[in-house]
Each structure stands twice: as C-alpha cells, then as structure tokens.
C-alpha cells in the first residue's frame, strides 16, 4: 500500500468502519426504507381519521431527525472511514464505479429533498378547504415518491456490494451492469427489502407505545395495524433469508482458495440460520402478544426488544457478508491487506518495504530488524490486526502455541506465516520476502512480552528511510 | 552550465525530501478536464450551502441574543425564521458534499488520502462533531416554545453548535492545505501541527467572511419574497430596516475580503502561483466591485427602491465566486504539477516491474524438477497441513515424525483422526479436514507413515 498508514492499535481499524457502517445500515433500513411506507399508510388512514395523521407525523419526526443527522453523516462517514483505512481499495472502487456512484448520488439527493418536503410541509395550511384537500393529496404523492426513492438508493448500493463480492467479475468485466446480473443480487435485495419492512414495523410499534395513550382508541388501532404489518412481512423475510442463504455458497464458494474454508464458512452460516430463526421468532412472540392483548401493556421498554432483535439480525447479516468476501477486499483482484494479487510476484521477490514510499526502513538489515518488522506489520497486517487490541496478533499466537508463557519459536512462526493462507482460507498469503518475514517475526517476538502499541502516522508523523541509509545498509 | 547543474541537484534534493508514492494503476473514469469541471462546480454548490448553514447559525445566534438583550420579541421570531432555513441548508450541505468528495478522491487520490491519514484522528472526528452540531441545531429549533422562559439555556444550545461550526472548517482547511504540499508531509505530526501550515488561518477567515456575505444576500432575498407574509409575522420590525441590515452584512463581509484576500494570496506557498491564476482571482475580485457599489447605493438610496438591483448584485457576486473557485483549482493544479509528473513516472516504473516479476515467476525454471518428485501424499501435505505441522519440529501441532511414531502401522486410525480430530494437547484444537476425500486421506496417511 503506497499511502501513509493510519492505524488504531487498540480498537482496530475494522471496528471503526464497522461501527459507522452498521449504524448507517440500521438507520437506513429501519428508519428510512422500512419506516416511510408505514408512515405513508398511516397518513392515508389519517385522511379519514385525524388521530392516525397525528401519530404518523410524530413517528416521522423521529425518523426525520435521526436520518438527517446520524443517518446522513454516517453515510458520509463510510467514505471517510473506509478511505482512511483502506485507501487503496476504496480508491480503486471509486475509479471503476464513479458513474454508478454519481447516479446513486443523484437518487440520494432526490431522497433527501423529498424527505425534507414530506416532513416540513406536512402541516402546511392552505387558504381554503378545497386547497387543503388538494395540498394533502400532493403531500401523499410526495410520500409515495419518497418511499420509492429510498428503496432505489438501497437497490443501487446492493449492486455495488454484490459486485465487490463477485469473484472474477472485477478482472473480466469492470462494468457496473454486472453488479445487477450477479447471482446474489436479487436474493440479497429481496431479503434486505423485507428485512427493512419488518424492522420498520418494529420501530414504528416501539414509537407508537410512546406516542399514544394507553387507553386511547388510536393505541388499539395502531398496535393492531403494526402487528399485522409485522406478521405479514416476517414470512417473506424468512423465505427471502433462506433464499439468500442458499445462493451464497454458489456465488461465494468459488471465491475460496481452499476447501477448508467451507468448514469455517459452514459455522458462520449455521449461526446465520439460527440468528434468523430466533430473532424473527422473538419478534413474533412479543408482537403476537401485543396483537392479542392490545389493552394489556407490558412496560414500554419491552417494545425495544423487537427493534433490538431486528437490529441484531441485520448486524449479523452484514457480518457474514463481510466474512465471506475474504481473503479479498475486491474479489480476485485485491487481498484484504490491500495488495493486488498481481503485485505478489514482485513484492515476494523484492520485498514490500522497497516499494513503499512512506517507510522509515527501505530495506531489512541486521540492525533494523525490529523497526523494519514493525513497518512490515503496519503495511501487511494492520488493516485487520492490532498488536494488543481487537484481533490482536499477540493473542492469536499465544492461543495457537497454547498460552504457555514461553517465547514463541521463530522457526515455527516462520513456517506458519509462510503457509497460513493454505489452511486459514480467509488469510491472504504473506506479501513480503523472506528477510521481511524474519523481521516481522523479530518484531512480533519483541512485543510478545514487551507490548508497545504500533502507532499510525496520525500520531507519529512520517519518517523516511533516506537514500543515504540505503547505501550504507546495502554495503555492510 | 554550472548554475544549471546546481539547480538540478537542488531540485533532486527537494525531491528526496518529498515522498513520491505510486498512484493507483487504474485509469480515470472520465476525461480529466470533465472531472475538473465536476469538481469545481460541485464544490461551489456544496460550499454555498455550507456558507448558508454556518452564516445562518451565526445570525440566528446573533438575532436571538439581540432579542434577549433588547427584550424584543420580533428579533426572537426573526432568529427562528432564520433557524428554519439553516436546518434545511445543513442537509443540502451534507448531501451536496458527496459529489466533490468522490471527485476529489478520483482526481487527487494520493494527495487527498495522504493528507487524511496524516491528520487522521481529527479527520474522522468530523463525522461525530457534525452529528452533534446538527442534533444541537434541531434541539435549538424545536425548543423555542419549551425554553421560552429559559433563554440563556436556549442560547447556550445554539452557541455550542456555532462553536462546533467554528472549529470544523479548520479540519477541512488543514487537509486541503496539506494535500497540495507534499514537501510538508514529513514535517507534520497530527492535526495540531498541521494547523500551523502557513495558509490555514487566512483561508479560515476568508471562509467565515464568505459565509456572512452569502448568507446576508440569501436572507435579503428570503424575507423579501412575495410569498412571505412579513407584516403578518412581525409587529415592530420593518422589512426595509431588515433589508438594509442584510445588505450591510454582505457589504461589510465583502469589503473585509478585500483585506483578507491579499493575505490569503501572499501566504500561499509560491510553488503554485502563476500569472494565469492571479489573473483569474483579480478578475473575480474586480467583478464584485460593481456589486458592492450597487449595494452601497441601495442602502443609502430611496427606501422604496431597495432591492431593485438585487438580481444584478447577485449575478456579479456569483461570477466572483465562480472565478474564485476556478482560481483555487488553478493554484492546486500548478502546485502539484511537478509532483504529479514524478508520481506518474513512478507508477509506470512500478507497473513494468510488476509485469517483469510476473513473467519471471511464470517462466518454467528450477521448480519443475521439484514438483515432479512430490508424491501424491506430499502434495496433500503441502496444500493442507503445512501451516501447522512440520516434519521434525512442533509448530502449532506436533511434528509428523512424532505422528508417524504414534500411528506406526495404523493407517486407519491416522485417517480417522485427520477426518475427525480429538483434543489431546494444550493449545488450539485441530480442525477437521473434511475437505479431503478418501484417496487423499489415504495418500497423506501413507506418506506420513513413511517418515522416520
């Protein structure tokens, strides 16, 4: 990677992207794609019964405030964080998908403008009764448009996500269209759609508990309506979930370098199935109760449970999606350490340090092994691992060698790292040459007992290995 | 000749102190000129809304505080009316920011990302800081009634948001400055040290004045719209006084730019200066002069005629903004020209090196003989076991010589273990090798048992 390395050695860089991205997905699915259609239905009911209109407005207020603050900014935050941490991959993706993202952006701009019109003109007063009626019907039309545009935004993003994971496509056919023709596109989009609608229902139900009086007529009616909504979409979510579950292997297993991967994948996969069943089952239980006994109200906080269950399901689904693209960040083209597959012969021969512009050691020598090893760690491992924090290398090796408290064996580590991609299919092969591997091992053995965080350039600044150093080191 | 050689070696020294990384080996998605147009235009749209958001928040605070001090309800109402525009403009500012963000990513990938990484923690803090500022804006806007009798608290909420808005531009300006100065990359240690780059602060004040100027003009138009029921909303406030006030804000801010602008220009590192760029900037500045004259005339002219020249004024100032935006781009392009050439060269060299190494790796050499002697069992070993097992030492798992001794003459048990391992020792348990078929299992077991 030829960028200065930003690195968080405690939280891990992936966690930062994950927190921002998951937050964005939860808000997008639960408060935009899934919730807008519900608000719209309530507004239409409200044409006859104003209590529906008032409830719909209150629910939309929450959605409006959250989507235009946390929702919008975490969307931008995905760009910020992923380009900070994986500049090489995100930069490559932007160059290929510029057009697609531009289209996506115009749809997104429309969505933002529509939600502002929809929310901010809800209570607009017109001069006469007749004008008021016409105004309201236009308002309902805006609601339809908003619901459609929020869904289209999602539909385009799913194509980009699908493309990233589709093995071979990047190398053969760098067009956006192949994102749509990808075998997992339709199942994934269908699953996300129903998942969003169910989650939207759970969110609306929870908010309704706070916005309506316990004994009011509207409480009874809205709980009935929302439980029916959730009942209606749970079976579809389940079916679409299993459909997606069935097509993943077809699409993804081709991606895996060795068959051992299938086994690790199966575990994830099995959990996905269980998460799907249990979370939907849990939602069904609580919502079913509310449906049967709308007058009997458990404490309001209980209705956070379906929301949390749906959010958990959504989060786990994203986790599996992230897992199955490994060891690549762009299928078949770039490994998750952000080295291109194509670069490997050169780097494994000459070393990664020699071809990095921003390192303090351009070459490994007898005197700089520790520092060079740290640089190798930062360049080759730090996109996913930390030294002692999340996904820590010290912990990984300790576990592997039985937590004996004894120093790890250098030759064992060397044999392991040279071959790890054969048995740990999610690991890319080590990209550097042998000298660099030795240096990395010196560094890792150094931090085994004497942990010192490996800081990124945001703290340390840059220090370059000068040409003078190199001439000294190459003539010992 | 000697002088030339000296200059050349001085250049070389400069190059040595400046990192020259390689670019992404992918072509630009659109012709470069088109991307430049998209970048300049989309950035101006984005910054326009940012100006309105920032200037709006500032003026909301000002008028609400004025209302509180003067005990005049009308100023309070005025501040609410401005706050309503601010929360819309802030959403537009964010969504309009995505296009220039993607375009600068594409055109200046290396420079932009490097600057981001070098000030990384503060750069990513933009996201939570803006979220908090936006939530505070909503909290302020929706509590005018609820906090009517607790004005200091209500003002404090907004003041906090304005404080954040005052800070956040510094992060962007630092990055934008750092990205065009590769020779400064080695000197920077995090955001605070990058704040000291020569051009950051002058540009910061330039931005604040631009925000006030743009917002003044916008609010002039906003309150004089025909559809706006001014008399019905305000009791004592006169539209004419308000218009004069907004004009004055634009006038004052623009005059201030004539002082700040030259400072911005003088503090720019000289590398990026060119007569072309200076011509563009000076042209832009001079177009604003007739606009300022008209504003002055309208402020001091007949009350009934105020606003007549507004379209003219707005048009002139828009052209000023476009020229400034273009000049800004010219400066960046000139600054980076030499470095970009070096990067291009480096990228090409690297591409050739990659190709050459790939050919070398593919060419059938020494390895063929080795591959030929591998037994089927050994092939299975190489591809499945080697990461954890060596022949004569303990790696993650025991050595295969040890295994051979344990399973002496008991191929079936060895095969069973590989297929479904138990756990006998400390450390990580062995994963089941379900991917191996019976033949492969047999082959590898046979081979292990031959080891001594």
């Amino acid at each position: 990677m030829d960028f200065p390395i930003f690195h968080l050695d405690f939280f891990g860089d992936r966690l930062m992207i994950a927190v921002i991205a998951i937050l964005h997905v939860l808000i997008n699915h639960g408060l935009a794609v899934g919730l807008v259609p519900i608000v719209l239905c309530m507004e239409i009911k409200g044409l006859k019964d104003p209590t529906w209109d008032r409830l719909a407005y209150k629910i939309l207020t929450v959605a409006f405030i959250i989507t235009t603050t946390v929702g919008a900014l975490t969307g931008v935050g995905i760009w910020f964080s992923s380009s900070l941490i994986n500049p090489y991959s995100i930069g490559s993706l932007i160059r290929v998908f510029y057009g697609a993202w531009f289209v996506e952006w115009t749809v997104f701009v429309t969505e933002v403008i529509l939600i502002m019109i929809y929310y901010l003109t809800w209570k607009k007063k017109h001069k006469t009764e007749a004008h008021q009626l016409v105004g309201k019907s236009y308002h309902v039309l805006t609601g339809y448009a908003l619901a459609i545009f929020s869904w289209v935004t999602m539909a385009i993003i799913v194509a980009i996500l699908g493309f990233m994971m589709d093995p071979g496509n990047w190398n053969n056919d760098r067009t956006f269209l192949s994102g749509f023709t990808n075998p997992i596109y339709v199942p994934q989009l269908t699953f996300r759609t129903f998942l969003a609608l169910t989650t939207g229902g759970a969110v609306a139900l929870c908010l309704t508990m706070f916005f309506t009086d316990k004994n009011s007529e509207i409480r009874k009616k809205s709980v009935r309506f929302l439980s029916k909504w959730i009942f209606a979409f749970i079976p579809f979510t389940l079916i679409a979930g299993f459909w997606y579950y069935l097509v993943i292997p077809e699409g993804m297993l081709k991606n895996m370098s060795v068959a051992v991967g299938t086994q690790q994948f199966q575990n994830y996969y099995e959990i996905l199935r269980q998460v799907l069943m249990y979370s939907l089952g849990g939602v069904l239980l609580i919502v079913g109760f509310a449906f049967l006994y709308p007058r009997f109200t458990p404490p309001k906080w209980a209705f956070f449970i379906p929301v949390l269950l749906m959010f958990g399901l959504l989060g786990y689904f994203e986790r599996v999606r992230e897992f199955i693209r490994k060891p690549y960040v762009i299928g078949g083209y770039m490994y998750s350490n952000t080295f291109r597959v194509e670069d490997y012969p050169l780097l494994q021969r000459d070393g990664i340090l020699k071809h990095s512009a921003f390192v303090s050691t351009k070459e490994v020598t007898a005197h700089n092994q520790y520092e060079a090893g740290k640089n190798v760690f930062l360049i080759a491992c730090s996109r996913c691992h930390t030294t002692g924090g999340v996904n820590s290398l010290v912990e990984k090796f300790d576990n592997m060698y039985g937590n004996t408290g004894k120093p790890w064996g250098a030759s064992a580590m060397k044999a392991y790292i040279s071959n790890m991609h054969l048995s740990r299919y999610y690991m890319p092969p080590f990209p550097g040459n042998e000298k660099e591997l030795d240096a990395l091992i010196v560094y890792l053995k150094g931090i085994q007992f004497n942990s010192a965080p490996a800081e990124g350039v945001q703290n340390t600044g840059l220090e370059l290995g000068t040409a003078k150093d190199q001439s000294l080191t190459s003539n010992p | 000749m000697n002088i030339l050689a000296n200059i050349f070696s001085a250049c070389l020294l400069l190059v040595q102190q400046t990192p020259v990384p390689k670019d992404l080996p992918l072509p630009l998605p659109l012709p470069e000129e088109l991307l430049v147009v998209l970048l300049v235009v989309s950035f101006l749209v984005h910054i326009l809304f940012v100006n309105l958001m920032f200037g709006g928040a500032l003026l909301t605070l000002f008028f609400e505080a004025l209302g509180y001090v003067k005990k005049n309800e009308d100023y309070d109402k005025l501040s609410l009316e401005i706050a309503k525009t601010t929360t819309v403009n802030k959403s537009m500012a964010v969504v309009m920011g995505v296009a220039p963000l993607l375009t600068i990513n594409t055109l200046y990938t290396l420079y932009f990302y490097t600057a981001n990484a070098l000030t990384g923690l503060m750069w990513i803090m933009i996201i939570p800081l803006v979220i908090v500022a936006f939530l505070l804006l909503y909290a302020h806007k929706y509590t005018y009634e609820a906090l009517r009798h607790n004005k200091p608290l209500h003002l404090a909420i907004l003041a906090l948001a304005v404080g954040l808005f005052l800070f956040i531009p510094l992060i962007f300006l630092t990055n934008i400055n750092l990205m065009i100065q590769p020779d400064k990359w080695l000197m920077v240690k995090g955001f605070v040290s990058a704040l000291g780059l020569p051009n950051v602060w002058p540009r910061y004040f330039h931005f604040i004045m631009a925000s006030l100027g743009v917002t003044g003009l916008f609010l002039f138009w906003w309150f004089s719209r025909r559809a706006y029921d001014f008399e019905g909303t305000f009791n004592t406030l006169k539209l004419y006084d308000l218009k004069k006030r907004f004009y004055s804000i634009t006038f004052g801010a623009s005059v201030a730019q004539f002082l700040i602008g030259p400072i911005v220009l003088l503090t720019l590192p000289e590398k990026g200066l060119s007569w072309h760029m200076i011509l563009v900037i000076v042209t832009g500045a001079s177009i604003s002069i007739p606009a300022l004259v008209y504003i002055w005339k309208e402020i001091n002219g007949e009350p009934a005629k105020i606003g007549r020249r507004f379209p003219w004024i707005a048009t002139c100032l828009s052209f000023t903004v476009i020229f400034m935006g273009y000049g800004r781009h010219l400066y960046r392009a000139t600054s980076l020209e030499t470095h970009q050439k070096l990067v291009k060269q480096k990228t090409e060299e690297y591409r050739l090196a990659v190709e050459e190494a790939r050919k070398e790796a593919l060419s059938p050499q020494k390895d063929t003989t080795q591959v030929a002697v591998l037994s089927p069992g050994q092939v299975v070993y190489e591809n499945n076991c080697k990461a954890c097992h060596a022949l004569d030492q303990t790696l993650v798992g025991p050595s295969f010589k040890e295994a051979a001794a344990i399973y002496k003459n008991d191929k079936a048990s060895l095969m069973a273990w590989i297929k479904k391992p138990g756990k006998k020792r400390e450390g990580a348990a062995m994963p089941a090798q379900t991917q191996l078929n019976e033949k492969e299992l047999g082959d590898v077991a046979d081979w292990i048992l031959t080891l001594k």
Side-chain angles (χ1 to χ4, degrees), chain A residues 1-6 8 16 20 57 61 64-66 68-70 72-74 76-81 83-84 87-96 98-99 101-102 105 108-109 112-113 116 119-120 170 174 258-260 262-264 333-334 339-343 345-347 349-350 355-358 362 399-404 411-413 415-417 419-424 457-464 467, chain B residues 16-30 35 38-39 42 84 87-92 94-103 105-114 116-121 123-124 126-127 130-131 134-135 138 141-142 172 185-191 346 350-351 353-354 356-358 360-361 381-388 390 393-396 426-428 431-435:
Chain A
M1 202 162 69
D2 224 5
F3 291 96
I5 307 261
F6 172 92
L8 299 171
M16 190 173 89
I20 294 175
Y57 182 74
T61 303
F64 176 75
I65 289 178
I66 295 179
T68 58
T69 55
V70 190
L73 265 302
T74 46
V76 180
I78 294 178
W79 288 113
F80 270 58
S81 59
S83 63
L84 197 52
Y88 227 109
S89 64
I90 207 76
S92 307
L93 286 170
I94 293 178
R95 288 216 181 169
V96 171
Y98 187 82
W101 266 311
F102 211 86
W105 174 70
F108 175 55
V109 172
V112 170
I113 293 174
M116 289 199 288
Y119 179 68
L120 297 170
W170 179 276
R174 282 178 200 161
V258 290
V260 185
T262 43
Q263 187 203 342
Q264 283 149 347
Y333 176 75
M334 188 181 283
F339 283 111
R340 295 184 311 154
V341 177
E342 228 179 295
D343 293 341
L346 177 71
L347 299 176
R349 188 188 73 191
D350 295 359
H355 292 286
S356 298
F358 295 101
K362 284 293 238 182
N399 285 341
M400 212 159 70
Y401 297 121
N403 289 307
T404 56
S411 57
M413 289 172 81
Y416 175 74
I417 298 173
N419 297 295
M420 64 191 170
H421 56 286
L422 297 177
S423 56
R424 309 278 200 269
V457 290
Q458 79 275 19
N459 297 329
T460 62
L462 285 171
E463 195 192 323
L464 292 201
Chain B
Q16 274 176 5
Q17 287 163 346
T18 306
V20 180
K22 52 188 180 287
D23 198 4
L24 299 177
L26 292 168
L28 290 177
L30 290 174
L35 283 171
L38 282 171
L39 177 61
S42 64
K84 283 180 187 168
T87 44
V88 172
N89 287 329
K90 70 122 186 49
S91 282
M92 294 307 290
V94 171
V95 48
M96 288 302 168
V98 176
L101 180 70
L102 289 189
T103 314
N105 276 343
T106 314
L107 262 175
Y108 294 103
T109 315
L110 203 72
Y111 302 96
F112 193 62
Y113 289 160
T114 300
N116 292 353
L118 289 173
T119 60
L121 281 182
W123 179 248
I124 197 68
I126 289 176
I127 303 299
V130 175
I131 290 178
F134 282 10
L135 286 171
Y138 278 132
K141 183 176 133 183
Y142 290 119
F172 281 101
W185 289 349
L186 289 179
M187 299 170 198
V188 166
K189 273 193 182 20
F191 168 74
K346 182 91 173 252
Y350 182 74
R351 190 186 67 80
V354 165
E356 177 260 324
R358 273 163 62 87
E360 188 191 304
Y381 165 73
E382 291 285 335
N383 290 329
N384 296 280
C385 325
K386 204 175 166 185
C388 298
Q393 73 175 127
T394 306
L395 295 180
V396 178
E426 268 183 51
Q433 305 296 309
T434 44
Q435 78 281 7

Side-chain angles (χ1 to χ4, degrees), chain B residues 211-226:
Chain B
S211 297
L212 287 174
V214 169
T215 311
L217 216 56
F218 165 75
L219 292 176
F220 183 101
W221 167 77
W222 182 253
F223 286 103
S224 38
R225 281 175 309 149
R226 277 220 190 97

Side-chain angles (χ1 to χ4, degrees), chain A residues 10-77:
Chain A
F10 179 75
F11 292 107
D13 299 317
R14 292 188 311 172
L15 188 66
M16 190 173 89
I17 301 186
V19 167
I20 294 175
I22 294 265
L23 204 57
H24 183 70
V25 171
L26 296 183
I27 292 171
N28 172 277
H29 288 17
L31 286 151
V33 178
L35 195 60
V36 170
I38 295 175
V39 171
L40 183 62
C41 286
M42 288 184 162
E43 191 193 12
I44 294 169
K45 285 174 185 282
L47 295 174
K48 286 187 186 133
D49 175 359
T51 53
W52 279 108
D53 195 275
R54 282 196 286 273
L55 177 61
Y57 182 74
K58 282 179 183 162
I59 291 174
L60 185 63
T61 303
V62 175
F64 176 75
I65 289 178
I66 295 179
T67 50
T68 58
T69 55
V70 190
L73 265 302
T74 46
V76 180

